[in-house]
Amino acid sequence: MAVDQSKIRNFCIVAHIDHGKSTLADRIIEMTGLLTSREMQSQVLDNMDLERERGITIKSQAVRIIYKAKDGEEYIFNLIDTPGHVDFNYEVSRSLAACDGAILVVDAAQGIEAQTLANVYLALDHDLEVLPVINKIDLPSAEPQRVKDEIEDVIGLEAQDAPLISAKTGLNVEEVLEQIVTRLPAPDGDPKSELQALIFDSLYDAYKGVIVFCRIKEGTLRAGDEVQMMATGATADVVEVGYFGAGQFIPCDELSAGMVGYMTASIKNVKDTRVGDTITHRKKPCAKPLPGYKKVNPMVYCGLYPTDGAKYPDLRDALEKLQLNDAALQFEPETSVALGFGFRCGFLGLLHLEIIQERLEREYNLDLVTTAPGVVYRVYKTDGTMIELTNPSNLPDPSEIDYMEEPVVEAEIMVTSEYIGAIMDLCQERRGTYISMEYMEETRALIKYVLPLNEIIYDFFDALKSRSRGYASFDYEMKGYVKSDLVKLDILINKEEVDALSFIVFSGTAYERGRKMCEKLKEEIPRHLFEIPIQAAVGSKVIARETVKAMRKDVLAKCYGGDITRKKKLLEKQKEGKKRMRQVGNVEIPQEAFMSVLKLDED
Amino acid sequence: MKEIGLYIHIPFCMKKCDYCDFLSGVYDERMQEAYTRSLCQEILYGGQQLKSVAVSSIYIGGGTPSWLDAEYMEMIMNAVYQAFTVLPSAEISIECNPGTVTKEKFDTYRRIGINRISIGLQSANDDELKLLGRVHTYNRFLHTYDLARKCGFYNINVDVMTGLPGQTLEKLMYTLDAVTGLRPEHISAYALIVEEGTPFYDRYKFDAVKQHAGMETEFLPNEDLEYQLYKMTQHVLSERGYRQYEISNYAREGLECEHNKIYWKRKPYLGVGIGAASLLDDVRASNVRDIYEYLERCEKLRAGDEFSPLWDSATKLTRHEAMEEFMFLGLRMNCGVMREDFEKTFGCNIEGVYGDVLKKLRGEELLTIEGGRIYLTEKGMDLSNYALAEFLLEK
């Protein structure tokens, strides 16, 4: 039985982090009766532990629910949850492309933030109908009228009818459901024309192979169809199609234009089913693919090494497994003199890096050492060739380098007026180029800067928060490459270069960073039986130096009677400390030292 | 007959010193009486459980054992003689604090067989004694020392401490001069450790961290000075006829503390009293630490019970653990360990177990092997924590 298109609503929820997107999703699912309150585990859509802990959505998720509206008709809602972080901007854009409408959730106390703007513009770019909703009106500090005016002034959306809700308590969520029916459009598309389906996510399942999440734009997809992915060229026979229950896949006969669902086709690798690609029939393809496909490239690279060298194969297996579900994760083997065998891994951003690192440690029980993350530099050589540098150790000899380029982003920072000065100082320190500033309302401004990506991947967000007392919000997008004066900073410990500590830095800040690194390493490296010089060098020139003094005395002179256990515990502690060390030359360096250089700006 | 050492813990003090983290405190007369009765019960019980052993040394430690009434000490020693065969040659030591002993007390000690007195002096400088929270002055100590000699004690130890807050080389020299001038048979020189849970910890914990990190300190000697204080002690004592035989113990020829050596050589010993540790048949055990629980459990002791209801923890050492102990305890002594003793004890070659470690430490000049004897060098002693930790085996 064909589904009546006019009874379908495909939508997503967009919001700034913490404005209540996932809570509203929970409430909608609960109130449509698909799940009882008791069955609901809080925040159904964020189903990775990590997502729930961090309160952010990492992977897109979708759920189909049935709503019986006041007009007496039953409607099918396909709620597509989008990732909530700038690292996953491309995924967000593809999820939006699978929708016809969007619910914009704005916190009644905080109002519009940088991510709100970025996401709502993204939604408008995709021609989505946007339905504003004011959340958290039960907060004492809620100012719904101010926020409504702000939505109208800043975004230009009619907001006087926006439901005033509390997703937490369920207050007025009913009204949101009704407005989804009345204000969001039904999908269009002809079930009889050539198949054109958008992949907006995929995941790997050990039994079914890759499960492809798709929105049918035109035509109809059935089990047994022979399909082709237009960008990757991969072909497959469809085994099953279906839609999304809460946390489960429910097979059905066909997915026709306007519907959101999944297909399985015994595809082994998510690389074949890239987000944004178009699925069509192999023998009767559509004229052209859907617009907007992009192959996403990693923006941030770092080395990942197992603490225990024997776990190298385990790390490789774990990365391979994660990659099955995460086409954006890239890795290739590398070796470091200091850290042994490991992998150079590429990520969409620092959050993506942290997530992968945590999943490796938690789900695969691996202890890891991470080297300082870096961006991809372009090195133009004197012979006219260009290399993309992901590992500082591979930087060619300076005599072979003509010039170098680094990636920059355009950042939008929204901040209350009293902190404008502090935030502009921060951007200047981070080598930012000022573009513009406009006042959104009397007390808040949107500042735009071009910033080197390198300057924001470590701790920019933390610095932003601390300098604005939490009042600034931030979003950015890639702007390409610019020429820059870059050098490789090397660290020598006891006269030996430690490759894992080298990194590329803007020459103007090399001295400062070198000095801080030496100071930090001095704190981290335990004293040995001999004196250890720690030096920072650019080329052959040493620019900073610290010394770890030799240890001369380490005695436990005290007598605890016959209590030998206590003595042994002290020795064990000493020995335990040594276990987590890496041997470089004759110096033992604690694992933490490799990470500590990431936190130079903390104090 | 198998020989064992006996340790008797007396947890009573007139006042607790500010640096002390031993199991001790201030209790009233009734508690002293009750504790003595329980201790006697435990000793008699121990004698029944450990048949056919001979006690070769007794150490009465604390706390301040001399703070206990002489009458109670007599009851305790009577219980020991009733429960055990004590060898006539046994060394029997008691810890005394200046100002807590009278002629009558020393006379009693002599009568009940005690033949070695260990006096806690710590410093000959009254300002330092005050800082440490000691209850006595240097003069008070002199009086106690003289009294001990007059009462016929020919084996006396004096405790001193290095690394005190504000301690200079001159101040320590003054203490060392004063002590060595008295010609005691034995000197223990401990380095101050700032222990958690003591008033010193509240006062000096940051300084202690700074000292360890090699940074400038406010009160405690900085690392360089602390090292010099330690080395000066070694040097001065050795010049004056006190041979270092263990990290913190010095003695005139032939006057080493026999009881101490039992610990380092892993000979069996029984500890009685709260928190006391025992090593019997490769089982390491320690008594309950709570005094009320101790009293309660002593009431219920019945011969033939499992050994021992007073133990709070007891662990049978594995072969590996015993090997580790053999090394990290044995090497605390300047004479070190004998290769053949290791072989005899464990039935295997030491090189097979510790070959790599011995090689590494020799390379670092921390250890010497001379014939069958393996011992730490002077540098190895200075860095003994570092060196001894190497002998812990992988689990």
Side-chain angles (χ1 to χ4, degrees), chain B residues 13-28:
Chain B
C13 283
M14 191 171 141
K15 170 187 173 294
K16 201 164 164 91
C17 301
D18 291 354
Y19 58 89
C20 172
D21 81 324
F22 284 109
L23 192 53
S24 60
V26 180
Y27 293 95
D28 65 12

Side-chain angles (χ1 to χ4, degrees), chain B residues 121-354:
Chain B
L121 165 65
Q122 319 311 350
S123 167
N125 300 296
D126 284 347
D127 58 336
E128 286 177 337
L129 291 173
K130 199 169 163 192
L131 184 83
L132 289 167
R134 304 286 297 177
V135 294
H136 57 86
T137 57
Y138 179 60
N139 260 328
R140 207 63 193 268
F141 160 81
L142 278 180
H143 176 76
T144 302
Y145 185 89
D146 283 341
L147 198 60
R149 285 288 191 223
K150 275 184 193 134
C151 291
F153 287 99
Y154 300 114
N155 194 352
I156 297 182
N157 166 62
V158 176
D159 284 343
V160 297
M161 281 178 105
T162 65
L164 303 179
Q167 195 171 40
T168 57
L169 290 168
E170 292 72 30
K171 278 186 151 174
L172 178 61
M173 195 61 216
Y174 180 78
T175 297
L176 294 175
D177 276 339
V179 172
T180 53
L182 294 170
R183 302 305 293 158
E185 284 67 31
H186 190 285
I187 296 172
S188 294
Y190 297 112
L192 172 73
I193 300 177
V194 176
E195 299 275 10
E196 221 174 313
T198 63
F200 261 38
Y201 187 75
D202 298 333
R203 274 183 243 162
Y204 304 122
K205 60 185 167 191
F206 295 117
D207 239 22
V209 173
K210 286 184 191 163
Q211 183 190 57
H212 192 73
M215 293 155 69
E216 270 320 301
T217 48
E218 215 173 322
F219 309 103
L220 297 175
N222 68 21
E223 187 185 42
D224 279 343
L225 179 56
E226 204 229 355
Y227 179 73
Q228 287 175 46
L229 291 166
Y230 170 78
K231 294 312 278 182
M232 186 175 88
T233 309
Q234 251 180 355
H235 188 75
V236 169
L237 293 184
S238 117
E239 254 187 357
R240 300 181 185 178
Y242 293 90
R243 204 177 62 89
Q244 185 181 25
Y245 67 96
E246 191 265 346
I247 288 174
S248 34
N249 287 294
Y250 301 79
R252 280 155 59 189
E253 197 62 42
L255 292 162
E256 295 166 358
C257 173
E258 292 306 319
H259 189 83
N260 242 335
K261 288 198 284 189
I262 286 180
Y263 298 146
W264 317 133
K265 292 185 173 172
R266 301 189 69 249
K267 300 219 168 124
Y269 56 92
L270 172 69
V272 297
I274 55 168
S278 301
L279 173 66
L280 295 165
D281 294 328
D282 263 352
V283 173
R284 285 220 176 270
S286 61
N287 276 356
V288 290
R289 296 175 66 84
D290 183 277
I291 196 161
Y292 297 99
E293 197 179 345
Y294 175 78
L295 297 182
E296 215 169 279
R297 288 204 201 178
C298 280
E299 288 304 320
K300 294 181 191 145
L301 285 176
R302 296 284 174 273
D305 276 355
E306 188 183 326
F307 206 128
S308 154
L310 296 173
W311 284 354
D312 194 23
S313 70
T315 323
K316 174 90 181 170
L317 299 175
T318 63
R319 188 160 168 271
H320 270 181
E321 286 169 336
M323 284 179 181
E324 292 172 345
E325 286 191 5
F326 183 95
M327 299 308 292
F328 78 69
L329 294 173
L331 289 175
R332 288 181 67 92
M333 296 181 293
N334 294 57
C335 64
V337 298
M338 298 298 290
R339 199 190 286 268
E340 60 173 33
D341 286 346
F342 187 93
E343 263 167 54
K344 224 183 289 164
T345 313
F346 301 109
C348 65
N349 190 328
I350 192 169
E351 305 286 341
V353 185
Y354 287 119

Side-chain angles (χ1 to χ4, degrees), chain B residues 5 27 55 59 76-78 82 143 173 206 214 222 246 282 319 324 360-361 363 384 388 390-391:
Chain B
Y27 293 95
V55 174
Y59 194 95
I76 292 166
M77 285 308 292
N78 281 341
Q82 196 186 326
H143 176 76
M173 195 61 216
F206 295 117
N222 68 21
E246 191 265 346
D282 263 352
R319 188 160 168 271
E324 292 172 345
K360 175 176 184 259
L361 294 177
S384 58
L388 298 178
E390 293 288 332
F391 289 95

Side-chain angles (χ1 to χ4, degrees), chain A residues 32 61 98 111 123 156 161 204 213 240 295 335 389 412 430 449 455 500-501 511 520 574:
Chain A
T32 47
Q61 303 283 338
D161 294 338
Y204 179 81
F213 292 29
E240 184 182 302
K295 184 172 179 286
T335 46
L389 187 76
E412 295 192 347
R430 301 300 174 101
Y449 263 90
E455 295 286 338
L501 289 172
Y511 167 75
K520 197 83 183 181
Q574 181 132 8

